[in-house]
């Protein structure tokens, strides 16, 4: 599947363009990647979110921004899905 790469963070509209809400989404991450707040282009050390890798049939792996830590190997249903980046 060819994806359009866009600059500018998270977008629910982009997610809806690629993700089939009727198909399962699989977590590929065993650990969440902390996302640090930046001020004046410098990291503050404050964790504001987490990033995890997911996949769905016929899609390349993609990142999702999460607002909290979740246990490993749970069943996911992503609501208000936002994609950080689709990877070719």
């Amino acid at each position: 599947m060819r994806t359009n790469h866009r600059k500018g963070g998270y977008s629910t509209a982009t997610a809806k363009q690629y993700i089939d809400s009727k198909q399962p989404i699989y977590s590929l991450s065993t650990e969440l990647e902390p996302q640090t707040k930046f001020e004046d282009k410098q990291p503050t050390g404050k964790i504001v979110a987490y990033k995890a890798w997911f996949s769905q049939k016929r899609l390349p792996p993609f990142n999702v921004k999460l607002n909290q830590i979740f246990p490993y190997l749970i069943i996911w249903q992503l609501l208000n899905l936002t994609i950080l980046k689709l990877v070719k």
Side-chain angles (χ1 to χ4, degrees):
M1 166 179 278
R2 184 177 172 93
T3 58
N4 297 321
H5 294 283
R6 299 177 184 171
K7 292 183 180 181
Y10 302 94
S11 166
T12 301
T14 301
K16 288 180 179 179
Q17 188 176 10
Y18 296 106
I19 304 299
D20 181 351
S21 63
K22 296 177 180 120
Q23 297 295 321
I25 297 171
Y26 300 96
S27 173
L28 303 176
S29 297
T30 57
E31 296 180 7
L32 300 178
E33 299 174 42
Q35 302 297 290
T36 306
K37 180 178 179 179
F38 277 73
E39 289 181 1
D40 300 321
K41 299 183 181 181
Q42 298 294 319
T44 63
K46 180 180 178 185
I47 296 173
V48 293
Y50 297 89
K51 182 171 62 172
W53 286 93
F54 291 84
S55 185
Q56 189 176 59
K57 188 174 183 176
R58 296 189 194 95
L59 284 181
F62 55 91
N63 286 323
V64 173
K65 177 182 173 183
L66 304 169
N67 294 325
Q68 65 186 55
I69 295 177
F70 293 92
Y72 180 59
L73 292 177
I74 64 170
I75 297 171
W76 287 88
Q77 180 181 15
L78 301 175
L79 305 175
N80 299 320
L81 177 67
T82 55
I83 294 178
L84 174 62
K85 182 179 178 185
L86 279 170
V87 178
K88 285 187 176 183

